[in-house]
């Protein structure tokens, strides 16, 4: 790339054009897990990210001559490999990092803060990182797991009511599975419902024990909180145990592949979504036209428009927008100016691909909006509008947890 | 020629029992030690922090495990759990106000006691059955860490290590962290080479070769096996604490999962069971080969030489890595240590062809 840059610069000079600002190549480190635990999402997600960056370069989104390059590496979900990949990408000049892995993000968080590099943790990672005063360089970007749980609960409230109802939360037995716990406890009191947690052992290939307990509990609604192969098993086992698909509400990690694995019985299952699925969006259409059609796509064209692909597109759309705002005025992009760029984003919705997000120095979650969608047998159909549920409650949980983190330092 | 033997006479028992009897070996070791000590001066922070430092720490872990698996012949597939106990114990002790030096020792002791309790299974079962028992330890410790927020550190299960100092030197800069880890790894290396020459070391070897035959010649299998688990777990526990404070600096349960245990076993096996240099080479290979291969393949892909999808590109290094492990073990079943030994023996008598032994 340096060679290309030099070539471009030389050409510009030879042609006698005056270049007031040197063209800049912004680098993003997409150091993710392609081979171990997060494989269910990484392939499509990263493909969406790379394709969007290709679109941004084709359209010159970052301004005249500026380009954005992805440094993509596999970390195998191993923290020591993540640390190596981070240090290497940092030397190569990357200013934004996306690890899409909880253990790797956790191992690098402090170092990235010290280096003043932006780490995005879209739809995963620590919820309390939404508090920008404690985590100045971490951006969860979209609804955290807490906001997702609140959104799903509010959907139940608006569609059948909550008072006196019973909710079963069936989750993977890991810190991630336990995330919605505090939100449910707080909301149970406020909305007068009761809930019970039913953990199953990781990775969740076998959940019959948990679900026969759920059957005995006779819940009105079911929340499933897992990821990867375990999600399809959850839905299948739930239906075998007499739970109707309409009762099942899932965390963001339920997508087209899971629906294909479950089969026709999946119809009616609901999930939280932070970005819209499908190809009928201006950005996705332009990716089809300017990246996929010329053969510049980074993977199988059939993945374009899937939930995780669009999530990847949205992350990079926001990141490129932040980089554009950070470079306003012609200064070179650093971690600090990129952070400032993020905090200038107000009401950006990637042309309707996602709810409008606004980041401030305090709120790095961007409002925490999302919606609920339902599988109609072929695709995900939204059944609620973009909105943030119980934002005050979520904010108080975020601030409490962030304060604990700060105190534990 | 390279290893000059003429003129080297061992005229006393002491001289004959030296660790490195041949001057060349001795000079090599001293040169390596000096190079290692000076590494922060000439190795860039990228390579020191992401390659050399983890290599040193994992070598210490492999040495701890090979004492148990190589010397005493007791298979252990839950060694990451032992390190987890050390890491979590040390952090909680330091947070409770115990000085770091003492916390290291105590965390080693806590690991040693818990490790020896689970090692009790070795008194009744061996071989694959012992593997099952130690696997149970791995899952039990994992479960306890994840399910007791007081241990794992609250909702997000991440514990950051507090700032500490070791013998009045703050363990903060990369160089300081590296030197502490190096000190521990060198200490373990010297200990391991010496333990082979003690009655305890010989008892371990006797137990490995046949435990009831060892009992006949007067070695107490009960005591020796428990001691083996105790010693190895102590070393592993302190290594876990070093790993937490010198490398990760934020501890999560996933850092000590089952796959890490398997990696440690692979280090010991690929390096060569019961060998010191094998532990270093094995740890280096298992830890660094995937990273080098990933960077190599990505570099080739960036140059346009590997026109395949991102997904296949990510799995390609793993395929090469797997083939390399099989290749090395086919070439020399006794591991990398034996390959080194063969090379050394070749040069020992070079330009002649055959070495004794």
């Amino acid at each position: 790339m340096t060679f290309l840059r030099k070539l471009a610069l030389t050409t510009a000079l030879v042609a006698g054009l005056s270049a007031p600002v040197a063209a800049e190549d912004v680098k993003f480190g997409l150091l993710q897990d392609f081979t171990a635990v997060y494989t269910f999402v990484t392939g499509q997600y990263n493909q969406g990210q790379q394709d969007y960056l290709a679109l941004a370069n084709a359209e010159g989104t970052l301004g005249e001559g500026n380009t954005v390059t992805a440094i993509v590496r596999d970390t195998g979900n191993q923290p020591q490999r993540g640390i190596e990949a981070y240090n290497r990408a940092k030397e190569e000049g990357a200013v934004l990092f996306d690890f899409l892995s909880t253990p790797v993000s956790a191992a690098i968080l402090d170092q990235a803060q010290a280096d003043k590099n932006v780490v995005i943790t879209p739809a995963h990672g620590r919820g309390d990182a939404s508090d920008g005063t404690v985590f100045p360089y971490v951006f969860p970007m979209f609804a955290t797991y807490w906001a997702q749980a609140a959104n799903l609960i509010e959907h139940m409230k608006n569609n059948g009511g909550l008072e006196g109802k019973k909710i079963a939360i069936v989750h993977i037995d890991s810190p991630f599975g336990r995330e919605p716990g505090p939100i449910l406890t707080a909301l149970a009191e406020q909305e007068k419902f009761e809930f019970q947690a039913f953990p199953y052992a990781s990775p969740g290939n076998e959940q019959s024990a948990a679900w026969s307990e759920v059957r005995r509990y006779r819940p009105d609604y079911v929340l499933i909180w897992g990821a990867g192969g375990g999600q399809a098993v959850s839905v299948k086992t739930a239906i075998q145990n007499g739970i109707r698909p309409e009762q099942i509400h899932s965390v963001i990690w339920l997508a087209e592949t899971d629906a294909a694995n479950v089969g026709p019985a999946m119809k009616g299952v609901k999930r939280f979504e932070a970005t819209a699925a499908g190809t009928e969006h201006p950005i996705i259409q332009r990716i089809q036209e300017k990246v996929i059609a010329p053969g510049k796509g980074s993977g199988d064209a059939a993945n374009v428009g899937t939930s995780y692909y669009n999530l990847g597109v949205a992350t990079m759309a926001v990141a490129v927008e932040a980089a554009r705002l950070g470079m306003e005025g012609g200064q070179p992009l650093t971690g600090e100016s990129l952070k400032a760029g993020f905090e200038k984003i107000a009401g950006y919705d990637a042309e309707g691909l996602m709810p409008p997000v606004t980041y401030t120095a305090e709120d790095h979650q961007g409002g925490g909006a999302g919606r609920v969608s339902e599988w109609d047998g072929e695709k995900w159909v939204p059944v609620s509008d973009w909105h943030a549920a119980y934002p005050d409650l979520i904010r108080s949980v975020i601030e409490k947890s962030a304060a604990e983190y700060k105190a534990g330092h | 020629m390279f290893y000059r033997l003429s003129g080297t006479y061992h005229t006393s028992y002491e001289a004959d029992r030296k660790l490195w009897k041949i001057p060349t070996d001795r000079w090599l070791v001293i040169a390596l030690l000096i190079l290692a000590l000076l590494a922060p001066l000439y190795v860039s922070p990228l390579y020191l922090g992401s390659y050399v430092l983890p290599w040193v720490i994992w070598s210490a872990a492999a040495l701890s495990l090979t004492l148990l698996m190589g010397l005493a012949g007791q298979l252990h597939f839950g060694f990451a759990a032992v390190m987890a106990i050390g890491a979590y114990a040390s952090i909680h002790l330091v947070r409770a106000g115990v000085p770091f030096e003492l916390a290291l020792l105590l965390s080693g002791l806590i690991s040693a006691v818990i490790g020896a309790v689970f090692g009790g299974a070795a008194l009744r079962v061996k071989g694959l059955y012992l593997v099952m028992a130690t696997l149970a330890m791995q899952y039990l410790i994992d479960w306890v860490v994840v399910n007791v927020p007081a241990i794992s550190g609250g909702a997000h299960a991440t514990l950051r290590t507090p700032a500490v100092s070791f013998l009045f030197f703050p363990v903060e800069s990369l160089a300081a962290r590296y030197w502490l880890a190096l000190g521990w790894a060198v200490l373990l290396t010297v200990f391991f080479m010496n333990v082979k020459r003690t009655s305890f070391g010989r008892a371990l070897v006797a137990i490995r070769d046949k435990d009831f035959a060892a009992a006949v010649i007067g070695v107490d299998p009960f005591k020796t096996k428990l001691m083996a688990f105790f010693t190895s777990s102590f070393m592993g526990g302190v290594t876990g604490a070093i790993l937490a404070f010198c490398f990760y600096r934020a501890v999560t349960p996933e850092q000590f999962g089952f796959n890490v245990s398997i990696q440690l076993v692979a280090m010991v096996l690929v390096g060569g069971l019961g060998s010191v240099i094998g532990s270093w080479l094995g740890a280096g290979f298992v830890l660094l080969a995937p990273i080098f291969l990933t960077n190599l393949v990505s570099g080739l892909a960036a140059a346009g030489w590997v026109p395949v999808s991102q997904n296949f590109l990510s799995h390609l290094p793993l395929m090469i890595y797997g083939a390399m492990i099989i290749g090395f073990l086919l070439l020399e079943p006794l591991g990398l240590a034996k390959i080194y030994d063969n090379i050394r023996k070749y040069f020992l008598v070079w330009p002649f062809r055959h070495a004794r032994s």
Side-chain angles (χ1 to χ4, degrees):
Chain A
M1 261 354 262
T2 350
F3 168 70
L4 279 180
R5 231 170 81 186
K6 275 185 189 153
L7 192 71
L9 273 177
T10 329
T11 333
L13 286 175
V14 168
L17 295 167
S18 64
V21 189
E24 194 174 351
D25 185 24
V26 174
K27 291 200 178 75
F28 290 169
L30 311 177
L31 316 169
Q32 295 154 355
D33 166 20
F34 291 90
T35 51
V37 180
Y38 291 81
T39 46
F40 70 96
V41 47
T42 314
Q44 296 174 357
Y45 175 83
N46 185 270
Q47 189 186 342
Q49 292 187 316
Q50 292 202 49
D51 285 356
Y52 181 78
L53 295 183
L55 177 74
N57 284 336
E59 294 184 338
T61 313
L62 279 179
E64 199 62 38
N66 295 334
T67 52
V68 53
T69 309
I71 300 172
V72 184
R73 289 285 184 284
D74 173 39
T75 64
N77 200 33
Q78 295 174 17
Q80 88 273 8
R81 288 184 64 184
I83 290 173
E84 188 272 343
Y86 168 79
N87 284 332
R88 182 171 293 278
K90 185 174 82 182
E91 289 217 338
E92 289 175 21
V95 287
L96 176 138
F97 295 87
D98 183 2
F99 301 103
L100 194 64
S101 148
T102 309
V104 175
S105 297
I108 291 168
L109 224 52
D110 280 357
Q111 188 60 45
Q113 305 255 34
D115 295 337
K116 298 192 171 167
N117 280 323
V118 172
V119 176
I120 56 170
T121 60
H124 76 280
R126 305 179 65 102
D128 54 4
S130 307
D131 188 340
T133 55
V134 179
F135 296 86
Y137 285 90
V138 186
F139 285 86
M141 287 175 104
F142 304 139
T144 59
Y145 288 128
W146 294 330
Q148 296 178 25
N151 209 306
L152 290 165
I153 298 285
E154 200 186 58
H155 183 76
M156 296 169 191
K157 184 185 173 189
N158 297 339
N159 296 272
L162 279 175
E163 207 169 320
K165 295 285 172 67
K166 288 200 279 190
I167 301 178
I169 156 100
V170 186
H171 66 84
I172 192 163
D173 199 6
S174 73
F176 152 65
R178 258 178 271 279
E179 291 258 358
I183 298 294
L184 287 174
T185 313
L187 285 178
E189 201 175 320
Q190 191 179 326
E191 303 289 350
K192 300 185 181 56
F193 63 87
E194 60 169 293
F195 77 97
Q196 196 175 329
F198 301 89
Y200 57 82
S202 173
N205 296 331
E206 172 50 49
Q207 307 174 9
S208 356
W211 285 100
S212 50
E213 294 273 318
V214 176
R215 175 182 215 154
R216 232 167 284 154
Y217 181 63
R218 298 179 171 278
D220 296 293
Y221 307 106
V222 175
L223 262 182
I224 57 172
W225 214 268
Q231 288 288 80
V233 177
S234 283
V235 175
K236 272 194 238 175
T237 324
I239 292 168
Q240 281 164 14
N241 280 282
I243 310 280
R244 283 172 293 111
E246 295 78 33
Q247 288 173 286
I248 303 174
H249 297 67
S250 168
V251 64
I252 192 166
W253 307 123
L254 189 72
E256 291 78 3
T257 4
D258 303 303
N261 288 338
V262 173
M266 177 88 170
K267 198 175 165 196
V269 173
K270 294 177 198 68
R271 62 146 193 205
F272 173 86
E273 63 181 24
T275 53
T279 52
E280 301 82 40
H281 306 281
I283 289 187
I284 308 293
Q285 294 287 340
R286 293 210 305 282
I287 287 180
Q288 294 269 34
E289 180 190 322
K290 294 183 186 170
V291 179
I292 308 293
K296 287 191 281 185
S298 63
D300 188 352
N303 290 334
V304 177
T306 58
S307 306
Y308 298 154
Y309 181 94
N310 286 10
L311 183 65
V313 169
T315 61
M316 285 300 106
V318 174
V320 167
E321 176 69 6
R324 190 184 67 79
L325 292 168
M327 288 161 80
E328 268 181 355
Q331 79 250 32
L333 192 69
T334 61
E336 278 170 300
S337 56
L338 182 62
K339 166 185 150 58
F342 265 102
E343 288 166 2
K344 278 185 211 163
I345 292 179
Y348 180 72
D349 68 349
E351 299 170 50
L353 187 63
M354 56 186 218
V357 289
T358 303
Y359 304 100
T360 63
E362 290 79 37
D363 179 17
H364 283 187
Q365 188 190 204
R371 69 182 179 193
V372 178
S373 63
E374 187 180 301
W375 183 255
D376 75 347
E378 281 167 11
K379 60 183 187 304
W380 293 101
V381 182
V383 290
S384 77
D385 293 327
W386 296 122
H387 73 290
Y390 304 105
D392 298 335
L393 170 73
I394 304 300
R395 188 67 203 170
S396 69
V397 174
I398 288 171
E399 277 171 9
K400 186 166 155 272
S401 176
E404 278 168 17
Y405 175 87
K406 205 173 179 181
H409 189 40
Chain B
M1 184 189 161
F2 295 103
Y3 291 84
R4 219 162 64 94
L5 297 173
S6 65
T8 307
Y9 301 109
H10 303 298
T11 49
S12 63
Y13 283 120
E14 210 168 297
D16 197 47
R17 284 207 324 241
K18 273 187 175 172
L19 280 178
W20 295 288
K21 287 179 234 174
I22 302 172
T24 317
D25 276 337
R26 201 153 55 233
W27 289 119
L28 264 179
V29 168
I30 291 172
L32 274 178
L33 189 64
I34 292 174
L35 276 180
L37 275 175
L38 298 182
L41 301 181
Y42 64 89
V43 179
S44 78
L46 167 64
Y47 283 94
L48 188 69
S50 333
Y51 293 78
V52 184
L53 175 61
W55 181 20
V56 165
I57 300 175
W58 258 278
S59 298
L63 278 169
S64 319
L65 182 57
T66 208
L67 179 91
L68 192 60
M69 283 185 49
L71 277 196
Q74 310 296 315
L75 300 176
H76 201 315
F77 275 52
F79 208 68
V82 173
M83 292 171 68
I85 298 170
Y88 278 103
S90 62
I91 291 187
H92 285 295
L93 284 169
V94 171
R95 287 192 167 196
V98 179
F100 182 51
E101 299 84 353
L102 200 60
L104 278 182
L105 286 178
L106 284 175
S107 62
L109 273 179
I110 294 170
S111 303
V113 170
I114 300 177
V117 167
F118 279 94
L123 303 173
R124 302 296 296 265
V125 295
K126 38 187 140 170
L128 281 177
Y129 300 93
L130 183 56
V131 167
M132 291 309 292
T134 50
L135 266 182
M137 171 183 185
Q138 172 76 48
Y139 282 106
L140 213 62
I141 301 288
D142 271 359
W143 189 88
V144 170
V145 169
V146 170
N147 283 278
V148 182
I151 296 178
S152 68
H156 291 289
T158 308
L159 270 185
R160 291 196 293 173
T161 55
V164 289
S165 57
F166 186 80
L167 301 178
F168 308 110
F169 289 101
V171 185
E172 180 56 46
S173 71
L174 181 56
R177 289 186 279 133
Y178 167 73
W179 278 320
L180 178 60
L182 182 70
W184 172 245
V186 168
L187 188 69
L188 280 195
T189 307
V190 173
F191 170 76
F192 195 96
M193 284 188 295
N194 280 294
V195 91
K196 284 184 175 177
R197 317 191 291 180
T198 61
S199 58
F200 173 55
R202 286 186 290 271
L204 292 181
V205 173
I207 292 287
R208 173 189 72 194
D209 290 345
K210 207 76 187 164
D211 51 359
F212 45 85
V216 169
I217 58 168
V219 175
D220 182 358
F222 180 86
K223 201 178 106 191
T224 315
K225 282 184 181 175
L226 281 188
M227 275 297 283
F229 272 93
F230 187 89
T231 316
S232 164
S233 303
F234 179 86
M235 293 156 68
V238 179
T239 309
I242 296 276
L243 182 68
F245 276 88
C246 294
F247 185 57
Y248 285 139
R249 300 206 286 169
V251 175
T252 61
E254 294 98 333
Q255 287 165 357
F256 302 99
F258 171 62
N259 57 331
V260 180
S261 285
I262 295 300
Q263 272 188 323
L264 284 165
V265 171
M267 286 173 190
V268 168
L269 289 183
V270 172
L273 268 178
S275 146
V276 172
I277 191 148
S279 298
W280 284 85
L281 294 177
F285 180 81
V286 171
L287 198 64
L288 304 181
I291 298 181
F292 278 119
L293 287 171
T294 302
N295 286 327
L296 178 74
V297 170
S298 300
L300 290 180
W305 288 15
V306 198
V308 291
S309 74
Q310 184 63 47
N311 204 11
F312 184 68
L313 199 65
S314 305
H315 286 85
L316 197 57
L318 291 183
M319 292 154 78
I320 304 173
Y321 172 60
M324 277 170 77
I325 289 187
I326 296 172
F328 273 125
L329 289 182
L330 281 180
L331 181 73
E332 185 51 76
L334 295 177
L336 297 173
K338 185 65 185 167
I339 295 180
Y340 165 79
D341 194 45
N342 291 344
I343 296 170
R344 178 175 168 275
K345 282 206 174 114
Y346 175 81
F347 283 111
L348 203 58
V349 292
W350 189 86
F352 304 107
R353 291 203 60 176
H354 295 291
R356 279 171 296 156
S357 89

